[in-house]
Amino acid sequence: MSKKGQVKKAVLAYSGGLDTSIILKWLVEEYGCEVVAYCADLGQGEELDHVPEKAKKTGASSCHIVDLKEEFARDFVFPMFRANAIYEGRYFLGTSIARPLISKAQMEIAAKEGADAVSHGATGKGNDQVRFEISYYHFDPAIKVIAPWREWDMKSRTALEAYAKKHGIEVPTSKKFPWSSDRNLLHISFEGDILENPWAEAPEEMYVLTVRPEDAPDQPEFVDIEFEKGDAVAVNGERLSPAKLMAKLNELGGKHGIGRVDLMENRYVGMKSRGVYETPGGTILEEAHRAVESITMDREVMHLRDSLVPRYAAMIYNGYWFAPERLALQALIDNTQQTVNGKARIKLYKGHCRVVGRDSATDSLFNVDFATFEADEVYNQADAEGFIKLNALRLRIAAIQRSAKK
Amino acid sequence: MSKKGQVKKAVLAYSGGLDTSIILKWLVEEYGCEVVAYCADLGQGEELDHVPEKAKKTGASSCHIVDLKEEFARDFVFPMFRANAIYEGRYFLGTSIARPLISKAQMEIAAKEGADAVSHGATGKGNDQVRFEISYYHFDPAIKVIAPWREWDMKSRTALEAYAKKHGIEVPTSKKFPWSSDRNLLHISFEGDILENPWAEAPEEMYVLTVRPEDAPDQPEFVDIEFEKGDAVAVNGERLSPAKLMAKLNELGGKHGIGRVDLMENRYVGMKSRGVYETPGGTILEEAHRAVESITMDREVMHLRDSLVPRYAAMIYNGYWFAPERLALQALIDNTQQTVNGKARIKLYKGHCRVVGRDSATDSLFNVDFATFEADEVYNQADAEGFIKLNALRLRIAAIQRSAKK
Amino acid sequence: MSKKGQVKKAVLAYSGGLDTSIILKWLVEEYGCEVVAYCADLGQGEELDHVPEKAKKTGASSCHIVDLKEEFARDFVFPMFRANAIYEGRYFLGTSIARPLISKAQMEIAAKEGADAVSHGATGKGNDQVRFEISYYHFDPAIKVIAPWREWDMKSRTALEAYAKKHGIEVPTSKKFPWSSDRNLLHISFEGDILENPWAEAPEEMYVLTVRPEDAPDQPEFVDIEFEKGDAVAVNGERLSPAKLMAKLNELGGKHGIGRVDLMENRYVGMKSRGVYETPGGTILEEAHRAVESITMDREVMHLRDSLVPRYAAMIYNGYWFAPERLALQALIDNTQQTVNGKARIKLYKGHCRVVGRDSATDSLFNVDFATFEADEVYNQADAEGFIKLNALRLRIAAIQRSAKK
Amino acid sequence: MSKKGQVKKAVLAYSGGLDTSIILKWLVEEYGCEVVAYCADLGQGEELDHVPEKAKKTGASSCHIVDLKEEFARDFVFPMFRANAIYEGRYFLGTSIARPLISKAQMEIAAKEGADAVSHGATGKGNDQVRFEISYYHFDPAIKVIAPWREWDMKSRTALEAYAKKHGIEVPTSKKFPWSSDRNLLHISFEGDILENPWAEAPEEMYVLTVRPEDAPDQPEFVDIEFEKGDAVAVNGERLSPAKLMAKLNELGGKHGIGRVDLMENRYVGMKSRGVYETPGGTILEEAHRAVESITMDREVMHLRDSLVPRYAAMIYNGYWFAPERLALQALIDNTQQTVNGKARIKLYKGHCRVVGRDSATDSLFNVDFATFEADEVYNQADAEGFIKLNALRLRIAAIQRSAKK
């Protein structure tokens, strides 16, 4: 145990559930180190009240509960939505964007606590281990990272439950769903079990944040969302903090069954994986944001930005939120949002939302008042001939060259 | 009339409607040239039977009706859908992709007829003039192009109707909608009139191809679509030609109110413009195509391709279908589709469609049978540590450098 | 002359040469307007002392000489070099980057003078007309632009000289070279005449800023250049203002015959064009800048930035310096330069320069002191196995799938 | 030795030098397996005659010498040069492009020999291990890879020499240079030793393929290179096979001291590394290829392609030559080369080469004969006004909007 013996104090990302409870105990047993439990509140909607007692009972020297909801919405979700970032055309990156913040707060506690190690409950086949650890190393390149799933030899649920029983860890008796999930203010994800059959439809009982579209109201509902510099600031005229705004949109989207996505995605570690997601508020937010951009953003700016979004989304998906290339792209993205001020009206109905109106009092590039100019000074139809002729010139020259060749 | 007098024979893209009837007459009057009428059938669903008589009555020397539906679906729509090309995140390019084919067939007639000019009815403020003319010049760099809307001084509907009356052209008495539209096998578009108010919702009576989602069936419907090398080949097990397949998907999508889009878009000529579109079949097709890609396409190939799609879509939107840069990109896109063989199951319900299953008997990269290999040979969880550590190395070195600087 | 009569006062970009003297007179004659002459000093190295008298003698109501050398180097050349922007792999954009600044100062004079028009001497086939006019319109969308070369019917040098003689404009008797050229602090360009034969080598007497490499010193010379946030600030230890630094590098590069480029380039207006350029200081600057970047810039940041440079360079080449898409890209580029602090040693010899050393006291990412960490904590060779295995995973799965297919 | 004992027969990439001789012996000793030696001739210019005897004396069961020079030039170097691929602006990828071919031939021998393992002599900190192993896995996802440098505990030269002495392996007595190098038909590379000081100039005695520029001929030399579909086919009028053409250009470039590059580069494994390269023929080839492209390639095609080259170069650098994303990009690149037919004249002088002429009898897009068209039909200067006005329209509208905001 020489290597393991080197750790004095570890901060563990702890949820109070079975897996991280076992990890907590395992760290104490295997590393013989002090373990500080840490639980981030990102709006997962679970009861966190008894987590500290549970942690201490399982062997933690202390337990930190940190409310990160506003920071999450403001500094992570919103900057990402300024780019309309979607991974592989469908996934709103709800888990990916949470991991860097969880890691950041964990490293802050590690620094405060003088811990020399951090630990997490992500498995060795997934993306989350990468996202956690790349972020850890960004904050402290010398931190010791303990990833129990890659280390221990417990490979089955039975083995885990045996370990729990042996160490007096309470195993929940309530029937747990056979798939795994991750929830926060932006989304809930599901993977595993029946989803491993790519042809099988996800079962209705899986869904948590959204009603079945068939059960949604029979009347459409309209929602107006206001943006300032690319960030949503008000819903139906009411200004809301970022986290409250997300909660409001989740409520609206959930009620109308909006934001369900069923995806086969490419993990960073190299395999494909089926995921099902509910992102009710985020789906509405993206539709509204694009709509306000559509009336306020320059064409070439939009096309340039859009061509970079697949790369930006992959950076977030892969765990590079704190990397300098993400920051460089963010500088571009934020620059493009200075004029994104205005509002959009979104229609919500039976699992779908779509924009029906958009406007900007200050930055509309549409239909601006040409009154002070002669119509012909702003747009003279005759100009189109020259525009077309010169744009076609290289094609005409090529055609001449082709015909000369024959 | 020296300049105008140079034209001997012009081929006009003619629809039988008021505008192109006036253009036909105007060409005869102003240019004193022979005018050949030409009408392309791209599935606009209108009665073309009486178009030849009408054309001749209005002064055409002859009239060609060309059925381009299969060529349109096979050689234009399908290659574009291999890329999942969508302009500015929302527009399926239904009009843009039709113009090059209309131009191509028109130039073929011009060559056959020995015409020295071609003409079209697109206005001087829109994208279509560019798409038509760039294509014309590609086929014949010396062709004379006549764009009456940029040339004549009739600026109002009243002036047009006066001209029609004066020249004995029949003005339709049936109430016409106050917006303009363009329809083919892929979509119908609307612009103008009330849409010029970007905040106003498009009126329900505008829609042609889709029922109101509220009026769609209360039960979801599932459709299975099969793909070979990225092209859809069968619907619910029935093999269909490209045009017939599009028609089938349009029928299904229309029935469920799918594919309505309301967009403020950026025209190539430099202004923003509100457009409303119905693309029922195309919307389903894209969802299904992406789903089959998701299980058969390599991650890096997908990300590379996706980063190029905004540019590819802009090429099509701007009229560069026949340009060498589109062909170069198409070579890449087609290369990526060799393995896109499989099927997707799409759920249609009340204005929305989404994938619920996907599979590939021949090219699945998911869950392949690892039986012949030891599990650990394909994926060893311990490998993740090295993967993360080396991917984080540049960030760790930067962190060391930062802390040394302090 | 109704249209032309609308102009009251025009500001003309005036050089004192024959062409712009004729334009000055022609504006007075044809437009009957007041003409303000304006001459920008961007380091073209010509005698500007007598330009005001000449302008007034030819009919200008006043003449502004503006020294823009420092602004040119600091706010135009340097931001562009932060990106290592090179058009089509070879051209350092010396003329392209000057045009926006000339336009900006011209529009400032127009505003101050209350002029309603601006004019320039660029021809109708080149890039410069676009660069000038796009910039003019950026500053005043209603400005009247007069481009005499597109308007008048003088098509030959003889016609111009006849016009000059008729209006008492002095025609230089000194033998002028048969090619045209443009010079500033960054470069001199040549086009036309013998260069129109793409196979013909440019004649030695064409070159102005550089000696023939064969005539350069037989001993190499080394120069050290220091950078702060991506901008050069000192040469051989001497801090210099941007313009003085450019002048110093031009002197060094010129002495060693460095920076000659012979290029067939693609003009924005659609045709190809042969150009020969001398960019002595810029060539050294780019080599040094890249070298300092190579030791201070993160890999992914560099690759991302490099992938955007062709587009950035085309923006500048095409005249979009003031466009929002250039500003958005600049935000990214400037973000990447925060750590580009250090110095490079460049060897100059017989027409070529190349880096032989680079270093950064504050931001080196190379060989940083790992003393405080165990070697194995920063890089453990065993990590490479996992890194390779997971990076290869998608290829291994594809190989398994391929072999299963056989 | 259970794990190691599983290997029955390994194919080792063997050079005959000390390191791979030790590896050969070590494999026999540690794995107790049969070892097949394999040596690829990629033009490294070394004596390979006695390699088989040496291999057998050191314990190999057999030794394969494979001449890959033509395949290397034709199927690896040439496709890469069609893209003008250069890593981080300077490195011609001479080592990177060789590794996939070495791996491919090695895997062919492994298949033929029925070997279950392959081995190489690349260290655990470099790029080559990645390039080798990713390629191995592409050909056989189940192959066992043995990378001795990551496995054994010999960390110093002394330990190696002790091992050699102990096992009767001949240690070369001739003074070896203290830096490491890799040579083939495209280049020679150097790294290590004095180069680890990034400020130190590489010593003159390091260079192998090129004379010191100061010692190159005092007279420039001109060379004409002819291209077909983007590949060089003739030098000074003499048609040559790909490998012979590379050899010829190396001879010319070496004589004139051309192609020395001194670079701080970013390794795929995450660290920066100093490299010095000589690529005499490749440097000339790139200059000539770009020149022929400049007269034959469409502008938009070139700009599109150029924007993808950083990514393409990184794919090769990182070892993904056989990956589907490289093949997809190659499809695009090869498509762009269909018209790249013509010749270029390059001037070689004292360490530098530059194009002085270029032409294409069949595909020139410059100065094509416009005789059959009126000049004005191909380019009418008046067209430029409309071209500029519409291209400026979005900027003018933005300017109007800005001024309305004030």
Side-chain angles (χ1 to χ4, degrees), chain B residues 91-403:
Chain B
Y91 170 38
F92 277 103
L93 295 161
T95 294
S96 322
I97 191 63
R99 298 321 193 195
L101 175 54
I102 295 172
S103 304
K104 173 173 173 275
Q106 188 172 0
M107 291 303 290
E108 285 164 359
I109 291 169
K112 216 183 309 172
E113 290 270 3
D116 53 345
V118 287
S119 184
H120 63 73
T123 75
K125 288 199 167 189
N127 295 303
D128 284 337
Q129 57 178 343
V130 191
R131 297 164 183 156
F132 280 128
E133 300 178 24
I134 282 183
S135 298
Y136 295 154
Y137 290 132
H138 165 77
F139 287 103
D140 181 354
I143 194 73
K144 165 83 182 161
V145 175
I146 306 173
W149 281 100
R150 297 202 303 258
E151 224 177 274
W152 66 30
D153 47 13
M154 291 183 281
K155 299 295 179 197
S156 66
R157 193 120 301 262
T158 318
L160 285 180
E161 290 180 1
Y163 188 94
K165 191 168 289 180
K166 184 177 154 197
H167 291 88
I169 297 163
E170 195 185 339
V171 178
T173 53
S174 62
K175 191 193 158 298
K176 229 199 120 184
F177 288 115
W179 45 75
S180 66
S181 77
D182 175 66
R183 179 176 169 184
N184 60 45
L185 206 51
L186 179 54
H187 91 335
I188 186 166
S189 69
F190 307 95
E191 60 179 18
D193 195 59
I194 190 184
L195 298 181
E196 289 175 1
N197 173 359
W199 189 248
E201 187 176 1
E204 185 55 38
E205 67 264 33
M206 184 176 275
Y207 296 99
V208 169
L209 301 179
T210 58
V211 303
R212 200 171 65 121
E214 291 89 327
D215 299 332
D218 287 331
Q219 292 305 316
E221 182 171 357
F222 293 81
V223 56
D224 291 359
I225 308 179
E226 209 167 315
F227 289 82
E228 290 174 7
K229 298 196 175 177
D231 290 338
V233 296
V235 174
N236 289 332
E238 184 186 6
R239 284 190 84 88
L240 293 168
S241 74
K244 289 201 163 56
L245 189 143
M246 289 307 300
K248 179 67 184 168
L249 293 183
N250 281 335
E251 182 201 316
L252 285 164
K255 174 181 163 194
H256 290 279
I258 288 164
R260 295 181 171 193
V261 164
D262 179 327
L263 178 67
M264 179 69 71
E265 76 197 45
N266 288 295
R267 285 192 187 159
Y268 187 31
V269 291
M271 66 191 52
K272 287 184 182 288
S273 162
R274 171 89 171 277
V276 166
Y277 301 98
E278 296 173 85
T279 319
T283 303
I284 300 171
L285 187 60
E286 195 259 354
E287 181 77 4
H289 181 251
R290 268 202 182 271
V292 177
E293 286 190 339
S294 77
I295 198 167
T296 57
M297 189 181 265
D298 175 80
R299 180 186 70 200
E300 294 303 310
V301 169
M302 184 185 287
H303 294 191
L304 170 64
R305 197 271 318 268
D306 285 355
S307 73
L308 296 169
V309 168
R311 221 182 309 188
Y312 177 82
M315 286 176 195
I316 295 175
Y317 186 85
N318 293 345
Y320 293 94
W321 180 258
F322 295 115
E325 65 272 23
R326 203 279 304 175
L327 296 169
L329 261 188
Q330 194 73 50
L332 180 148
I333 289 160
D334 291 355
N335 176 288
T336 70
Q337 300 293 302
Q338 298 310 301
T339 61
V340 182
N341 303 300
K343 60 181 174 170
R345 173 162 290 175
I346 309 294
K347 185 177 189 173
L348 316 175
Y349 178 64
K350 296 269 186 195
H352 189 43
C353 71
R354 66 184 194 88
V355 65
V356 296
R358 79 290 293 156
D359 214 349
S360 170
T362 55
D363 292 271
S364 173
L365 295 170
F366 174 73
N367 208 16
V368 290
D369 186 6
F370 295 157
T372 53
F373 302 95
E374 293 297 323
D376 277 7
E377 286 188 54
V378 175
Y379 193 102
N380 182 342
Q381 295 207 26
D383 289 338
E385 183 181 338
F387 178 75
I388 295 168
K389 282 228 171 124
L390 292 210
N391 277 315
L393 185 60
R394 61 188 175 91
L395 306 180
R396 297 173 80 201
I397 290 173
I400 294 170
Q401 180 268 332
R402 270 198 311 277
S403 68

Side-chain angles (χ1 to χ4, degrees), chain D residues 137-193:
Chain D
Y137 289 132
H138 164 77
F139 287 103
D140 181 355
I143 193 74
K144 164 82 181 161
V145 175
I146 306 172
W149 282 100
R150 298 201 303 258
E151 224 178 274
W152 66 30
D153 47 13
M154 290 184 280
K155 298 296 180 199
S156 65
R157 194 121 299 263
T158 317
L160 285 181
E161 289 180 2
Y163 188 95
K165 190 169 288 180
K166 183 177 158 198
H167 292 86
I169 297 164
E170 194 183 342
V171 177
T173 52
S174 63
K175 190 193 162 295
K176 227 198 124 187
F177 287 115
W179 45 76
S180 65
S181 77
D182 175 65
R183 179 175 169 184
N184 60 44
L185 206 51
L186 180 54
H187 92 335
I188 187 166
S189 69
F190 307 96
E191 59 180 18
D193 194 61

Side-chain angles (χ1 to χ4, degrees), chain A residues 298-300 311 362-365 377-379 383 386-387 389-391 393-394 396-397 401 405, chain D residues 298 300 311 362-365 377-379 383 386-387 389-391 393-394 396-397 401 405:
Chain A
D298 175 80
R299 180 186 70 201
E300 294 303 311
R311 221 181 309 186
T362 55
D363 292 271
S364 172
L365 295 170
E377 286 187 53
V378 176
Y379 193 102
D383 289 338
F387 178 76
K389 282 228 171 123
L390 292 209
N391 277 315
L393 185 60
R394 62 189 174 91
R396 297 174 80 202
I397 291 173
Q401 181 269 334
K405 230 172 148 176
Chain D
D298 175 80
E300 294 303 311
R311 221 180 312 186
T362 56
D363 292 271
S364 173
L365 295 170
E377 286 187 53
V378 175
Y379 193 102
D383 289 339
F387 178 76
K389 283 227 172 124
L390 292 209
N391 278 315
L393 185 59
R394 63 189 174 91
R396 295 174 80 201
I397 290 172
Q401 181 269 331
K405 230 173 149 174

Side-chain angles (χ1 to χ4, degrees), chain D residues 95-400:
Chain D
T95 293
S96 323
I97 191 62
R99 298 319 191 197
L101 174 55
I102 294 172
S103 304
K104 173 173 173 275
Q106 187 173 2
M107 291 303 290
E108 285 164 359
I109 290 170
K112 215 182 313 174
E113 290 269 5
D116 54 345
V118 287
S119 183
H120 62 73
T123 76
K125 287 199 166 189
N127 295 302
D128 284 337
Q129 57 178 340
V130 192
R131 297 164 184 155
F132 280 128
E133 298 178 25
I134 283 184
S135 298
Y136 295 154
Y137 289 132
H138 164 77
F139 287 103
D140 181 355
I143 193 74
K144 164 82 181 161
V145 175
I146 306 172
W149 282 100
R150 298 201 303 258
E151 224 178 274
W152 66 30
D153 47 13
M154 290 184 280
K155 298 296 180 199
S156 65
R157 194 121 299 263
T158 317
L160 285 181
E161 289 180 2
Y163 188 95
K165 190 169 288 180
K166 183 177 158 198
H167 292 86
I169 297 164
E170 194 183 342
V171 177
T173 52
S174 63
K175 190 193 162 295
K176 227 198 124 187
F177 287 115
W179 45 76
S180 65
S181 77
D182 175 65
R183 179 175 169 184
N184 60 44
L185 206 51
L186 180 54
H187 92 335
I188 187 166
S189 69
F190 307 96
E191 59 180 18
D193 194 61
I194 189 183
L195 297 180
E196 288 175 2
N197 172 359
W199 188 249
E201 187 176 1
E204 185 54 39
E205 66 264 32
M206 183 176 275
Y207 296 98
V208 169
L209 301 179
T210 57
V211 303
R212 199 170 67 120
E214 291 90 328
D215 298 331
D218 287 330
Q219 292 306 316
E221 182 169 358
F222 294 81
V223 56
D224 291 0
I225 308 179
E226 210 166 315
F227 289 81
E228 289 175 9
K229 298 195 174 178
D231 290 339
V233 296
V235 173
N236 289 331
E238 184 187 5
R239 283 190 85 89
L240 293 167
S241 74
K244 290 202 164 55
L245 190 144
M246 289 307 298
K248 178 68 185 170
L249 293 183
N250 280 336
E251 180 201 317
L252 284 165
K255 173 182 160 191
H256 289 280
I258 287 165
R260 296 180 170 193
V261 163
D262 180 328
L263 179 66
M264 178 70 70
E265 75 197 47
N266 288 295
R267 285 192 186 160
Y268 187 32
V269 291
M271 65 190 53
K272 288 184 181 288
S273 160
R274 171 89 172 277
V276 165
Y277 301 99
E278 295 172 85
T279 319
T283 302
I284 300 172
L285 187 61
E286 194 258 355
E287 181 77 4
H289 181 252
R290 268 202 183 270
V292 176
E293 286 189 339
S294 76
I295 198 166
T296 58
M297 188 181 266
D298 175 80
R299 179 187 70 201
E300 294 303 311
V301 169
M302 183 185 289
H303 294 191
L304 171 64
R305 197 269 319 265
D306 285 355
S307 74
L308 296 168
V309 168
R311 221 180 312 186
Y312 177 82
M315 287 175 193
I316 295 175
Y317 186 85
N318 293 346
Y320 293 94
W321 180 258
F322 295 115
E325 65 272 23
R326 203 279 304 178
L327 296 170
L329 260 188
Q330 194 73 49
L332 181 148
I333 288 161
D334 289 355
N335 177 288
T336 69
Q337 300 293 303
Q338 298 310 302
T339 61
V340 182
N341 304 298
K343 61 182 174 170
R345 173 163 290 175
I346 309 295
K347 185 178 187 173
L348 317 175
Y349 178 65
K350 295 269 185 196
H352 189 42
C353 71
R354 66 186 195 86
V355 65
V356 296
R358 79 291 291 156
D359 214 348
S360 169
T362 56
D363 292 271
S364 173
L365 295 170
F366 173 73
N367 207 18
V368 291
D369 187 4
F370 295 158
T372 52
F373 302 95
E374 293 296 324
D376 277 6
E377 286 187 53
V378 175
Y379 193 102
N380 182 344
Q381 296 208 22
D383 289 339
E385 185 182 337
F387 178 76
I388 295 168
K389 283 227 172 124
L390 292 209
N391 278 315
L393 185 59
R394 63 189 174 91
L395 306 180
R396 295 174 80 201
I397 290 172
I400 293 170

Side-chain angles (χ1 to χ4, degrees), chain A residues 341-363:
Chain A
N341 304 299
K343 60 182 174 169
R345 174 162 289 176
I346 309 295
K347 185 178 188 172
L348 316 175
Y349 179 65
K350 295 269 186 196
H352 189 42
C353 71
R354 66 185 193 87
V355 64
V356 296
R358 79 291 289 156
D359 213 348
S360 169
T362 55
D363 292 271

Side-chain angles (χ1 to χ4, degrees), chain C residues 106-171:
Chain C
Q106 188 173 1
M107 291 303 290
E108 285 164 0
I109 290 170
K112 215 182 314 175
E113 290 269 4
D116 54 344
V118 287
S119 183
H120 62 74
T123 76
K125 287 198 167 189
N127 295 302
D128 284 336
Q129 56 178 343
V130 191
R131 297 165 184 156
F132 280 128
E133 299 179 25
I134 282 183
S135 298
Y136 295 154
Y137 289 132
H138 165 77
F139 287 103
D140 181 355
I143 194 73
K144 165 81 181 161
V145 175
I146 306 172
W149 282 100
R150 298 201 303 258
E151 224 178 274
W152 67 30
D153 48 11
M154 291 183 281
K155 298 295 179 199
S156 65
R157 192 119 301 261
T158 318
L160 285 181
E161 290 181 0
Y163 188 93
K165 191 169 287 179
K166 185 177 155 196
H167 292 88
I169 296 163
E170 195 184 339
V171 178

